[in-house]
Amino acid sequence: MALANNKAQCFTCHRENNTYTCEGCSKRFCIIHLTEHQQILNDELNHITNEYNEFRHIFNEQKQNPYNLSLIKQINEWERNSIEIILQKAQECRKIVIEYSPTFFNDIEKKFNDLSEQIKQIHQENDFNERNLNYLRNQLLEITQELNNPSKISIKEDSQSFINDISIISSKKPKFNKWKQNAVIVAGGNGKGQQLNQLNEPEGIFIDENKNIFIAVCFNHRIVEWKYNAIEGQIIAGRNGMGNRVDQLNLPTDVIVDEQNYSIIIADFNNRRVIQWLNQNQQILINNIGCYGLAMDKHGFLYVSDWKKSEVRRWKMGEYNNEGIVVAGGNGKGNQLNQFNSPTFMFVDEDQSVYVSDRDNDRVVKWVKDAKEGRIVAGGNRQGKNLNQLYYPQGVIVDDLSRIYVADWGNHRIIRWCEGKAEGEIVVGENGQGNQSNQLYYPRGLSFDDEGNLYVVDSGNHRIEKFEVIL
């Protein structure tokens, strides 16, 4: 609370006197009533702290027993009303909620821990005002409401059936388990070359909301957009051949689309720069960087993996005149948990955790926000072809159940890992190296579309394949 000593009317007693301004409410008080005002704020802080402690007790109880969730209680009531015929359906729904509960509790616990630290800091510093208290109160109300009435998962009743059927509705993408093992070629597949219906060792891809595919065609030194169901692509960046002019590219490895302005952001690997193309106008965003992989989070921050420096840096969109912030690695090349050895592709989740394919360490490492080191979530058991091993991992994506999908480059397969598990499971590519529709040859980039179809950059076969989800 900053104090400004001036003669003015006290807000409480209305007398002209030396008064002091409260930064929180901008009102002026004499010294007596300023002390009273501070006491009121202290009382409010204590009240919020008591509510916080009560919430912690309720949260811990529910976390220990997710069967006390309000959703489970609704399911139980429906089960009793609909007797034996719906017992099986109820059990299926309970299973979905229980499987979802770790993600649900983790999301709340992160917010809860952040709030705990803020309250602790306010107590320690004893420097707060109404704004701080309103913020704390709103944060506590928000997580309390989320605990009691989850916003990302709910019950949907279907009254059209002879009993009121129910199912679990989640704002997250559906739970995809299997894909057809014979892929559909959606780009390339006409041999290696420079024609518009050909690709030459593609690497990174981006799928927009219309299922258009943006491809970093590395050895054609260009970015190609392949419209949905098109028979050929169109060059949208790099049509002037290999070079280092601003209108040229040299071995681009990854591409993302900023769908706010529909600009194309490219990792121009051999030119050591990240460049943006907007309506055929070019702007170099970041220079002198061993850029390989790109990602953008929901807040608009741009992440770049630096192959040479073995690190990942983050920039705020529009603010590229600085060195960015190291969010993973940055401790030189190596195999320790705070190091990388040739990081390539990456994925950033809703919590700004960064998943990085640590290629030459044959592992995928997850760095949570503000962490000092990562933790291995796939591979890390030396190079090999067993289910607990990877061989030069490349593309990495994570679904809404936090399952990690990895393009296992040297094993010609896509493998899925659940965090904390000792080994992964093969999703597609169980049939070894080859060019058949159920085979891959050095896969690189990965992506999902909004229906859950899996797209794989089948680099050695110079094609993009779509493995359709089995619903």
Side-chain angles (χ1 to χ4, degrees), residues 93 268 313 319 365 430 452:
C93 290
D268 191 8
R313 287 182 181 263
E319 298 182 6
V365 184
E430 291 188 275

Side-chain angles (χ1 to χ4, degrees), residues 181 357 362 364 378-396 404-417 422-434 438-446 454-461 465 467:
Q181 293 302 296
S357 277
D362 301 294
V364 175
N381 296 297
R382 300 185 305 277
Q383 189 176 98
K385 61 181 180 180
N386 294 324
L387 290 178
N388 68 341
Q389 296 177 305
L390 297 172
Y391 186 164
Y392 288 161
Q394 294 283 324
V396 57
I404 303 125
Y405 299 75
V406 186
D408 193 4
W409 184 84
N411 287 320
H412 314 289
R413 66 191 182 186
I414 309 303
I415 192 164
R416 176 171 67 191
W417 290 66
E423 61 181 32
E425 58 180 330
I426 299 173
V427 173
V428 296
E430 291 188 275
N431 301 294
Q433 172 186 335
N438 63 352
Q439 294 179 306
L440 299 171
Y441 185 28
Y442 296 127
R444 290 187 182 269
L446 294 179
L454 176 62
Y455 293 73
V456 180
V457 177
D458 192 10
S459 182
N461 286 320
E465 299 212 289
F467 292 87

Side-chain angles (χ1 to χ4, degrees), residues 63-319:
K63 184 179 178 182
Q64 292 299 319
N65 186 7
Y67 278 89
N68 284 334
L69 282 171
S70 60
L71 292 175
I72 299 297
K73 294 177 181 178
Q74 291 180 54
I75 293 169
N76 290 340
E77 181 180 358
W78 170 85
E79 180 184 7
R80 288 191 297 269
N81 293 338
S82 302
I83 59 173
E84 295 295 326
I85 195 169
I86 51 84
L87 286 175
Q88 183 177 358
K89 185 71 173 183
Q91 187 60 27
E92 292 172 356
C93 290
R94 277 195 291 268
K95 182 180 178 182
I96 295 174
V97 174
I98 295 302
E99 288 180 348
Y100 172 77
S101 65
T103 300
F104 171 69
F105 284 124
N106 284 341
D107 290 344
I108 293 183
E109 192 165 24
K110 288 172 184 175
K111 297 177 182 178
F112 168 72
N113 290 338
D114 183 62
L115 180 61
S116 178
E117 288 298 317
Q118 293 179 64
I119 290 178
K120 185 188 300 183
Q121 184 177 357
I122 286 178
H123 274 295
Q124 290 174 347
E125 297 178 356
N126 196 28
D127 182 15
F128 57 93
N129 53 48
E130 285 90 347
R131 293 176 185 169
N132 305 127
L133 299 182
N134 286 335
Y135 172 78
L136 294 177
R137 186 180 294 106
N138 290 335
Q139 290 295 301
L140 184 58
L141 178 62
E142 178 181 321
I143 61 175
T144 301
Q145 290 174 341
E146 182 64 19
L147 181 64
N148 294 328
N149 298 292
S151 62
K152 296 181 179 178
I153 185 169
S154 60
I155 299 293
K156 176 186 176 182
E157 291 192 16
D158 182 5
S159 59
Q160 300 302 313
S161 57
F162 69 97
I163 60 171
N164 285 337
D165 195 8
I166 66 171
S167 58
I168 298 298
I169 304 300
S170 172
S171 65
K172 292 179 178 288
K173 296 176 183 177
K175 177 183 177 181
F176 303 124
N177 282 320
K178 293 184 178 180
W179 289 261
K180 295 179 181 178
Q181 293 302 296
N182 291 294
V184 178
I185 298 174
V186 291
N190 298 296
K192 175 173 137 181
Q194 296 192 8
Q195 301 302 312
L196 291 180
N197 67 344
Q198 293 179 307
L199 301 173
N200 187 353
E201 295 196 27
E203 295 225 2
I205 57 170
F206 182 93
I207 314 294
D208 72 10
E209 58 186 10
N210 297 315
K211 297 185 178 62
N212 301 318
I213 310 169
F214 296 80
I215 310 166
V217 190
C218 188
F219 283 89
N220 282 339
H221 313 287
R222 64 194 185 192
I223 306 298
V224 173
E225 180 182 7
W226 212 287
K227 297 287 189 182
Y228 181 62
N229 282 338
I231 61 172
E232 64 179 28
Q234 55 184 357
I235 302 171
I236 58 172
R239 64 176 67 251
N240 297 302
M242 179 180 70
N244 60 7
R245 296 199 316 259
V246 72
D247 62 347
Q248 294 178 306
L249 300 173
N250 191 342
L251 299 182
T253 51
D254 205 3
V255 58
I256 58 175
V257 178
D258 182 358
E259 298 191 69
Q260 295 294 321
N261 58 17
Y262 224 68
S263 66
I264 313 300
I265 301 175
I266 305 163
D268 191 8
F269 179 75
N270 225 30
N271 282 325
R272 293 182 49 79
R273 65 190 183 188
V274 177
I275 189 167
Q276 181 183 55
W277 287 58
L278 176 60
N279 297 327
Q280 293 304 310
N281 294 315
Q282 303 85 34
Q283 177 186 0
I284 296 174
L285 302 182
I286 306 165
N287 244 324
N288 299 316
I289 182 170
C291 53
Y292 197 103
L294 302 174
M296 186 179 293
D297 67 22
K298 65 180 181 180
H299 304 292
F301 287 98
L302 177 65
Y303 298 72
V304 184
S305 65
D306 191 322
W307 169 283
K308 285 289 187 183
K309 292 184 178 179
S310 295
E311 66 185 19
V312 175
R313 287 182 181 263
R314 185 184 74 191
W315 281 263
K316 186 175 182 179
M317 289 296 286
E319 298 182 6

